[in-house]
Amino acid sequence: MSRIGRKIVTVPAGVKVQVNASTRVVDVQGPKGKLAFTYRPEVSVSYSEADKAIKCDMDPAIVELGNNKAYWGTTRSLLNGMVLGVQKGFEKKLEIVGVGWSARMQGKKLVLALGYANPIELAIPSDVAVNINGSFLELSSPSKQSVGAFASHIRSKRKPEPYNGKGVKYSDEVIQRKQGKAFGS
């Protein structure tokens, strides 16, 4: 039995859930947006309107075969993240550290000046909202995967380096600083 998969996902007020068993699609809609997810055929998902709860289940005969237990727990975790996302949303904050380094919006693109000869232009995903506040970037979305993937993509353009601490880093990330070479004695 999957300990995570057995847990029931409670659905708060203001969030609507539809489960289509024939196409294996779960639609979740709330104040922050709408998300859809296609779950694996090994897992069965049901929604109880009376209990306001989503339940993931699996046939006990196939639980121990292959990765089925992992599929069960992953499906439940993704559904829980969808419910939280459409209710509250997810947010990531990035900080740009470097003299003259900046970020600006240009239509549907994010333009980063990170010390390279040319600026870096990144297309912003349709479900991610970007807010620039000085040297801080605030990304928000109902989808945890979208906001995390876009934040990681931005960070990959200039990862923080340990000697001067320059680069794009998460706001809560701590950079372990290194001592440079010492010349002379």
Side-chain angles (χ1 to χ4, degrees):
M1 295 290 285
S2 170
R3 283 183 273 164
I4 294 173
R6 283 185 304 197
K7 293 181 183 178
I8 293 175
V9 179
T10 57
V11 179
V15 176
K16 290 188 239 174
V17 176
Q18 288 183 327
V19 178
N20 188 342
S22 62
T23 59
R24 299 187 337 265
V25 175
V26 178
D27 292 315
V28 181
Q29 187 173 2
K32 295 282 185 177
K34 182 178 181 181
L35 296 173
F37 171 64
T38 304
Y39 57 90
R40 302 250 337 161
E42 295 90 349
V43 181
S44 64
V45 176
S46 61
Y47 174 63
S48 170
E49 185 68 42
D51 298 335
K52 294 288 246 180
I54 301 172
K55 184 179 181 190
C56 298
D57 204 11
M58 184 174 278
D59 183 18
I62 65 167
V63 169
E64 297 299 327
L65 298 176
N67 293 329
N68 290 347
K69 193 185 297 188
Y71 297 148
W72 187 8
T74 301
T75 301
R76 188 261 177 210
S77 292
L78 291 173
L79 291 172
N80 187 45
M82 288 171 58
V83 170
L84 291 175
V86 298
Q87 182 194 17
K88 298 177 184 174
F90 292 101
E91 190 175 278
K92 290 269 188 188
K93 291 184 180 180
L94 297 167
E95 183 179 0
I96 300 174
V97 180
V99 177
W101 295 8
S102 64
R104 61 183 161 82
M105 297 286 291
Q106 192 174 47
K108 294 279 186 184
K109 291 186 177 180
L110 178 66
V111 180
L112 301 169
L114 299 177
Y116 296 118
N118 297 319
I120 299 167
E121 292 184 358
L122 301 174
I124 300 171
S126 60
D127 60 342
V128 176
V130 178
N131 184 18
I132 300 171
N133 188 5
S135 65
F136 290 93
L137 292 171
E138 296 172 359
L139 311 174
S140 60
S141 173
S143 172
K144 188 175 190 177
Q145 294 165 332
S146 293
V147 76
F150 190 55
S152 176
H153 186 60
I154 292 171
R155 185 179 181 274
S156 72
K157 297 303 173 187
R158 191 77 176 226
K159 291 185 180 176
E161 52 97 8
Y163 295 101
N164 295 324
K166 298 189 327 185
V168 179
K169 68 180 192 87
Y170 297 110
S171 62
D172 57 350
E173 183 179 11
V174 177
I175 306 301
Q176 294 293 327
R177 302 293 294 267
K178 290 184 179 178
Q179 184 178 357
K181 290 184 178 179
F183 292 102
S185 51

